[in-house]
Amino acid sequence: MWWRWLWIVLAFWLLSAHFLRYDQLYGMGIFALAPLAGLIKPQISIRLLQLALVISTVTVWGLSTVDMIQMRLAHDAPWQRLAAIMATVMIFTLAAAWCGNGLLRQNKARQNKARQTQD
């Protein structure tokens, strides 16, 4: 299921772009390269990628949303569209984390099939 990996990679690249916007190159590099961890021990690395996406949804997107909405409110600017866009980004990131469950099921089925052929 290549599309599950695509969601995960895009979510991490979106987080990477957020860090690049604020000239935080180390954060950008870490998030840009994080999906490569899926190539190493898929069971553990996929769980870690899922955890990173869920935590990033709260700490990166959630805090950024609150800060940006407060700034808009302070300047009497409209904030509803910003809130809708950021909610969509958060839902996308959580959906990417959820896609990891399908990858884990696929890996487990592949391992079971390999064990059956060995017996």
Side-chain angles (χ1 to χ4, degrees), residues 52-100:
L53 286 172
V54 171
I55 290 172
S56 296
T57 300
V58 176
T59 59
V60 175
W61 298 132
L63 295 176
S64 294
T65 301
V66 170
D67 288 343
M68 288 188 272
I69 288 176
Q70 286 178 348
M71 186 171 50
R72 293 271 179 112
L73 289 172
H75 293 285
D76 288 329
W79 58 272
Q80 291 86 0
R81 184 176 50 176
L82 169 71
I85 291 169
M86 293 305 291
T88 304
V89 169
M90 287 188 267
I91 290 169
F92 175 80
T93 306
L94 291 173
W98 180 73
C99 283

